[in-house]
Amino acid sequence: MFCKPILALAAALPLVAFAADPTYTEKVGGYTFIKSGPKAENLAPKINYEWEAAQIALKLLKESLGPEGLLTTLAPAIAEADTYWKERVERSTGKLGQKEGWVSANGRAVVFLPNVTAERFVKWYLSPLADAFNNQANPEHYFKRTVVEGTSAVSDILEGWGGVTTHFGIPNFNLGINATRYPFIEPRGEGWIQATGDKALKSDGTVFGVLEIGVKNVKGADYEMPIDGVDISARVWYGDGVEDEHLEYERKHITNEIINSSLQTQKDIENGKLPV
Ligand SMILES: *[C@@H]1O[C@H](CO)[C@@H](O)[C@H](O)[C@H]1NC(C)=O
Ligand SMILES: *[C@@H]1O[C@H](CO)[C@@H](O)[C@H](O)[C@H]1NC(C)=O
Ligand SMILES: CC(=O)N[C@H]1CO[C@H](CO)[C@@H](O)[C@@H]1O
């Protein structure tokens, strides 16, 4: 019903009216597109518009379903991930308490934020602010609920990496490295704050990975930066039955998460939510 008048109008407009609109040229799928429409200050790569729309859709879905709704809706995917991990644990030579047979997905970013230090980032990461932000830290984050039990942070998490959507817990996230349990994790050395914990399937407690996070203050001068920074690095350890293709999804995921989480730490210091 709308099509005909619009087409007629378009046909009647001189071509130059289109040419005068601010345009944005980009290659998509190897081909060139000259696009216009959005205001000049909003012209941006296609991926930016898609990302904005995807964020709106994801937020709406995650918030409407909530943790329990997500667990029900994604139950088939979670069962698939359980099988995926059990198969990999089964065929791996690396076992807890043993030095050999482990591989890791490593992701790291050195971040330069005026108010974030290694100590402050750790404080934020272990605070309820991190749970509140979790869903925005990465699109494949569905929920994270953490309670403190003794000296450990105990988390219940639904998260995916390349579509392996895993319901797991970190029952024992602690500062330091338990060398008896994790002999494959080397201390990183002076200045590093390290924390480690098991990643265990919620369904039956299978430990399928080990999370290790390391943070350290760095001098801006070492990176030709005007302010000091923080080196934030995460390694997720798995038995050697896990394919490198999977580790690559996690590497990408981790770098995203480090950037978003440290950005949010800066915001939560600025807005006074994180007392420093
Ligand atoms: C945050 O950084 C700014 C800029 O360096 C500084 O003026 C401010 O005092 C800092 N605030 C906190 C809470 O560290
Ligand atoms: C360290 O790991 C060993 C072996 O898994 C375990 O028995 C012990 O309770 C752990 N120690 C701490 C402090 O968690
Ligand atoms: C996935 C996602 O929502 N990413 C967030 C990363 O952090 C920036 C800054 O806080 C947010 O704007 C993004 O939404």
Side-chain angles (χ1 to χ4, degrees), residues 43-268:
L43 275 173
K46 167 179 172 285
I47 189 82
N48 290 29
Y49 302 150
E50 269 172 346
W51 178 226
E52 188 182 15
Q55 274 182 298
I56 293 167
L58 277 172
K59 187 166 189 282
L60 183 62
L61 278 170
K62 288 176 189 177
E63 286 180 1
S64 305
L65 287 166
E68 296 312 320
L70 285 162
L71 286 176
T72 314
T73 309
L74 297 176
I78 294 167
E80 218 175 277
D82 281 347
T83 307
Y84 175 92
W85 288 119
K86 283 186 210 174
E87 275 175 16
R88 270 117 194 116
V89 168
E90 184 69 27
R91 72 183 188 211
S92 290
T93 66
K95 308 286 171 200
L96 286 171
Q98 179 189 307
K99 198 172 166 63
E100 308 300 326
W102 291 85
V103 294
S104 64
N106 303 355
R108 183 172 191 169
V110 183
V111 309
F112 297 91
L113 298 154
N115 297 128
V116 179
T117 63
E119 294 76 12
R120 288 174 177 184
F121 182 72
V122 170
K123 189 175 178 189
W124 180 88
Y125 193 85
L126 295 173
S127 79
L129 293 167
D131 278 12
F133 179 67
N134 176 69
N135 283 7
Q136 289 170 62
N138 200 291
E140 279 192 276
H141 282 192
Y142 300 96
F143 68 75
K144 175 167 170 251
R145 311 184 268 207
T146 306
V147 291
V148 175
E149 287 177 13
T151 59
S152 295
V154 180
S155 292
D156 174 19
I157 298 170
L158 182 61
E159 179 172 335
W161 309 276
V164 182
T165 306
T166 310
H167 186 205
F168 66 104
I170 305 185
N172 56 352
F173 195 65
N174 275 306
L175 284 172
I177 304 164
N178 181 338
T180 316
R181 195 167 182 79
Y182 312 131
F184 48 91
I185 305 180
E186 301 280 339
R188 290 170 191 249
E190 216 191 309
W192 284 96
I193 306 171
Q194 268 171 291
T196 48
D198 292 351
K199 294 174 77 171
L201 295 179
K202 273 285 168 184
S203 58
D204 69 354
T206 301
V207 176
F208 66 97
V210 173
L211 172 64
E212 178 210 341
I213 291 178
V215 289
K216 185 189 179 179
N217 290 311
V218 298
K219 286 278 158 226
D222 292 342
Y223 295 86
E224 295 180 10
M225 290 295 294
I227 60 169
D228 291 341
V230 185
D231 191 339
I232 305 176
S233 150
R235 289 190 285 206
V236 185
W237 294 87
Y238 294 110
D240 54 9
V242 173
E243 302 88 335
D244 193 63
E245 187 195 349
H246 177 85
L247 300 180
E248 189 66 5
Y249 276 116
E250 291 218 21
R251 293 176 190 125
K252 292 187 245 177
H253 181 121
I254 293 168
T255 57
N256 217 24
E257 193 174 336
I258 290 174
I259 293 172
N260 263 1
S261 303
S262 57
L263 256 179
Q264 190 62 33
T265 307
Q266 172 63 32
K267 284 187 194 161
D268 285 340

